[in-house]
Amino acid sequence: MIHGGMKAATVAIGAATVLALVSGCTLLNAPAHPAATTSTASPDPDPVPIAQQLPNLLVAGQTIGTGQLRVIEHEPIPGTVTDHPLTGAVRIVVGEDRVLEVHIAPDDPSTVNLGDIMLTMTGKRHDGKPENIQDENYYGLVAGPSSTAGDLVMRMPLDSPAAGDPTFLHSLEESPPGDARVFAVATIDWTLPPAYPNLAPVDHGSVANARGRTVLDGETLAYYVPGQGDTIYQVSRRFGLTEAQLVWLNPELLIGSPQPYLKYGIGVNLDPGRR
């Protein structure tokens, strides 16, 4: 896990960005009165916003992830909330309205009391794998209708283009209401196809508006710390990525903001394994 004021954190290799420096050029034999030209070309269309370029892998009705909600070692918690914790098999299902649903088949349905617990989907990892350097986000679940199979059905309203590929959410956490202490966890195993197979950024060197520093974890290009004036466009080109791929690696850039942007000194993830 990497820490640098931020928590740890997920490319096809693009063409190298070439910065051409042209100086001292002089236009020779220019006509005194250049002929007028008329352009009939249509103006360039507005560029597609990055948010609309992100992959959306959700298909209504599909089960796209599974896990097992189990009690973990935790601090002592007063009261009876941990005497009968909610445990059981977990499925992540795409609802008909494409809102993510978390289905839980309780090990002991007779002791379930949703009023005593809080269930949260989060990017925090409990499986020992490297975390994304961006701050983890937490999304509380709200109760939905019970299914015919007797599962508890919770809904996760995530209003972000990043929800089209929710594989950056690694865990379902259970805690007392209003309490950060976690006493049960399910690690989510996603079954969605990879949005960008074999994505592997390569640093092609510092260029204008991409003069920050990179950080390695062993031989892995782990993350990038932007410099002043860095732009998503130039930083993505420095590493052979599209803007959409850089934002896909860092879904937090679009959460709570319709337009992603880099923050000076705040690292961004470059490793798909840390998404």
Side-chain angles (χ1 to χ4, degrees):
M1 185 181 303
I2 294 180
H3 293 278
M6 294 71 62
K7 294 184 180 178
T10 4
V11 184
I13 301 177
T17 302
V18 178
L19 179 63
L21 299 177
V22 179
S23 61
C25 294
T26 303
L27 181 62
L28 301 179
N29 301 321
H33 301 285
T37 59
T38 301
S39 174
T40 59
S42 301
D44 291 338
D46 292 334
V48 178
I50 295 174
Q52 295 181 21
Q53 300 177 42
L54 292 181
N56 192 316
L57 309 179
L58 303 184
V59 177
Q62 283 192 344
T63 294
I64 60 174
T66 59
Q68 188 71 32
L69 189 59
R70 298 186 177 95
V71 174
I72 61 171
E73 186 176 346
H74 59 273
E75 300 177 45
I77 299 175
T80 60
V81 65
T82 58
D83 292 345
H84 301 286
L86 172 62
T87 59
V90 175
R91 293 185 299 124
I92 311 297
V93 179
V94 183
E96 291 302 319
D97 53 4
R98 297 178 72 170
V99 172
L100 295 184
E101 297 178 350
V102 180
H103 294 232
I104 305 173
D107 290 330
D108 186 356
S110 65
T111 62
V112 174
N113 185 349
L114 294 179
D116 290 340
I117 60 174
M118 181 170 61
L119 294 169
T120 307
M121 289 291 292
T122 175
K124 184 174 177 59
R125 307 201 75 133
H126 292 271
D127 55 7
K129 296 180 181 179
E131 297 192 40
N132 193 316
I133 187 174
Q134 293 280 342
D135 289 340
E136 293 129 4
N137 285 276
Y138 295 81
Y139 307 96
L141 304 183
V142 296
S146 298
S147 72
T148 55
D151 292 354
L152 297 173
V153 179
M154 312 291 288
R155 288 167 60 86
M156 188 188 71
L158 175 56
D159 185 18
S160 170
D165 182 0
T167 55
F168 67 96
L169 297 170
H170 302 295
S171 306
L172 171 63
E173 294 184 343
E174 180 177 351
S175 57
D179 194 323
R181 289 174 292 184
V182 176
F183 59 85
V185 165
T187 292
I188 305 302
D189 295 317
W190 296 100
T191 56
L192 286 170
Y196 297 108
N198 306 314
L199 195 67
V202 175
D203 188 1
H204 297 291
S206 175
V207 296
N209 300 120
R211 300 196 183 282
R213 62 184 179 89
T214 57
V215 177
L216 298 177
D217 183 13
E219 296 183 357
T220 299
L221 188 57
Y223 62 89
Y224 172 79
V225 182
Q228 274 188 315
D230 278 10
T231 65
I232 286 180
Y233 177 85
Q234 285 298 110
V235 170
S236 62
R237 296 318 188 264
R238 172 173 171 172
F239 296 101
L241 306 173
T242 66
E243 293 169 278
Q245 287 170 335
L246 181 63
V247 173
W248 176 83
L249 286 167
N250 297 274
E252 293 85 355
L253 294 178
L254 267 178
I255 294 173
S257 172
Q259 181 64 35
Y261 62 94
L262 302 176
K263 298 178 181 178
Y264 171 58
I266 305 299
V268 291
N269 175 48
L270 292 174
D271 177 12
R274 286 173 166 82
R275 181 180 185 270

